[in-house]
Amino acid sequence: METRIYLNPKENEIEKAAECVRAGGLCVFPTETVFGLGANALDENAAKKIYEAKGRPSDNPLIVHLSEPVEAELYAYTTDDYYRLAKAFMPGPLTVIMKARDVIPKTVTGGLDTVAVRVPSYSVAHELIRKAGLPIAAPSANISGRPSPTRVEHVIEDMNGRADIILGGENCEVGVESTIITLCAQRPTVLRPGYITLGQLKTVCPDTVVSEAVLGKYEGQALSPGMRYKHYAPKAKVIILDGTQEAFYNAVPKSGDVGILCFDTDEKLKTLRNAKTYGAAKDSNMQAKMLFECLRSFDKDDTIKRIYARMPSDEGVGLAVLNRLIRAAGFNVRKV
Ligand code: AMP
Ligand code: MG
């Protein structure tokens, strides 16, 4: 298929994209987290095209994007907690899972009886959803398994020829996908960490807990199916070395096919061959913003076969960085 690309979409181009969504097409759009690959969330066939374009397993559900929090009434059985969370964090990088109403096709929910909703803050996303007059189902706009796209170049790499329209305009400020919280468990439960931290969620829903699946291998029933798959991976194999900078330096092979993923503040590691940095050791926000871009940049050098990565902090937004990196590494973490 021929993909129309609007790098800095004007109003009439966003209108064209909205028409495309109404007609059952696929449209990529920027959000504050990562780029999304969107389709009409009420149209089963349109949603199916998303899975095909990404090569995504059909039991991995999509997030339904809305222009206003109150629209969730139409698609989910909302609760008081939902409105408290919406008041505090929407529009913004938070996805809330509730029991779904029947209008949402099972293709969108991956067969579950729950639905995930989110209200993105970026203006292109907001305008697209508003002009379409529909909820837009959208996962990240990458080929399944690859790092999520945070710049329009990444989207063009993965989705040119697979989506009808690509909208640019803003690169992604947060850089990792939304925090996902389910309101369908005994206590509000974080299924995927993101920019909105556990501490922030607890100020609104004090009972909130973090699912064990966030840092562990997912083996239980499908609370959040996306957590089961190896994800976010560059072409080279990723190995996380958990230890001090000195121990990392001593443990890492010094051969040519090795890449190093470390922090701006790792003075000794930065000088190693093929070293890339993605923020200071204590700057989890910058790490989140740069992680996927940095992982993708290793793909440009196909002599690199193994990437040794430093272990990020598990606090605040660090938990989101660690969650993504552990999956990029297929859970390969070694103590050094
Ligand atoms: P992506 O937008 O690519 O980050 O993928 C969306 C993720 O949201 C999926 O991988 C799921 O883990 C999660 N998700 C979406 N809907 C649900 C749901 N109804 N229940 C649990 N998790 C969901
Ligand atoms: Mg994704």
Side-chain angles (χ1 to χ4, degrees):
M1 98 175 34
E2 179 149 1
T3 303
R4 282 176 287 165
I5 301 175
Y6 302 120
L7 289 179
N8 283 300
K10 299 184 202 64
E11 203 182 327
N12 69 314
E13 291 164 339
I14 299 178
E15 182 60 56
K16 280 183 197 161
E19 262 167 45
C20 161
V21 170
R22 280 197 297 271
L26 291 184
C27 173
V28 176
F29 58 96
T31 82
E32 69 276 28
T33 58
V34 302
F35 279 79
L37 174 65
N40 179 357
L42 303 180
D43 176 345
E44 193 171 350
N45 289 323
K48 271 190 192 142
K49 290 185 195 168
I50 294 178
Y51 290 89
E52 280 160 24
K54 284 183 57 104
R56 181 177 176 102
S58 63
D59 63 349
N60 190 2
L62 311 175
I63 293 171
V64 174
H65 292 68
L66 310 173
S67 65
E68 303 295 337
V70 69
E71 292 164 10
E73 288 301 330
L74 300 169
Y75 315 115
Y77 293 93
T78 59
T79 62
D80 290 348
D81 273 348
Y82 170 72
Y83 279 103
R84 275 194 279 272
L85 290 167
K87 186 159 179 252
F89 304 116
M90 292 184 190
L94 180 70
T95 295
V96 182
I97 293 174
M98 290 169 285
K99 188 144 182 7
R101 292 188 190 270
D102 287 342
V103 283
I104 297 292
K106 285 280 188 271
T107 327
V108 169
T109 65
L112 300 173
D113 59 5
T114 54
V115 64
V117 300
R118 157 162 141 76
V119 181
S121 69
Y122 268 18
S123 61
V124 172
H126 177 82
E127 279 306 290
L128 174 68
I129 303 164
R130 199 181 63 77
K131 285 180 193 294
L134 288 166
I136 296 188
S140 51
N142 50 287
I143 303 277
S144 203
R146 293 203 71 201
S148 303
T150 56
R151 304 179 65 88
V152 75
E153 303 90 271
H154 306 159
V155 174
I156 294 171
E157 253 170 50
D158 280 20
M159 287 297 146
N160 199 6
R162 293 173 184 258
D164 296 286
I165 293 185
I166 293 176
L167 299 178
E170 289 158 294
N171 289 326
C172 307
E173 207 35 55
V174 171
V176 291
E177 302 82 351
S178 56
T179 304
I180 301 182
I181 185 170
T182 179
L183 301 179
C184 297
Q186 251 173 4
R187 294 165 68 171
T189 305
V190 175
L191 301 182
R192 178 173 75 184
Y195 185 76
I196 307 289
T197 61
L198 176 65
Q200 286 175 292
L201 293 167
K202 279 186 159 178
T203 63
V204 178
C205 298
D207 278 359
T208 306
V209 290
V210 174
S211 162
E212 279 177 18
V214 160
L215 292 182
K217 265 192 195 164
Y218 196 85
E219 272 149 15
Q221 255 290 306
L223 254 187
S224 186
M227 291 282 122
R228 284 200 309 257
Y229 306 107
K230 184 175 176 196
H231 244 117
Y232 318 119
K235 289 175 188 145
K237 180 178 168 187
V238 179
I239 304 121
I240 301 174
L241 300 182
D242 179 11
T244 62
Q245 184 184 180
E246 199 60 35
F248 186 105
Y249 184 87
N250 293 331
V252 81
K254 310 290 183 299
S255 53
D257 67 348
V258 165
I260 308 288
L261 179 63
C262 63
F263 302 124
D264 296 355
T265 39
D266 290 339
E267 298 304 333
K268 191 162 178 182
L269 304 180
K270 272 179 4 186
T271 61
L272 289 169
R273 187 157 39 156
N274 299 329
K276 293 183 195 290
T277 68
Y278 69 119
K282 291 203 169 127
D283 189 351
S284 298
N285 286 353
M286 183 56 78
Q287 291 167 27
K289 181 171 176 177
M290 298 308 296
L291 176 66
F292 290 140
E293 182 175 344
C294 200
L295 287 175
R296 273 183 184 253
S297 71
F298 281 108
D299 286 350
K300 297 213 166 68
D301 181 350
D302 52 17
T303 63
I304 298 177
K305 304 291 181 211
R306 293 171 291 166
I307 299 166
Y308 287 83
R310 284 269 269 149
M311 180 89 170
S313 148
D314 62 359
E315 280 175 29
V317 178
L319 188 64
V321 177
L322 181 58
N323 167 273
R324 305 311 190 274
L325 193 58
I326 279 187
R327 281 170 175 75
F331 298 94
N332 193 348
V333 182
R334 293 187 204 155
K335 277 247 177 250
V336 290

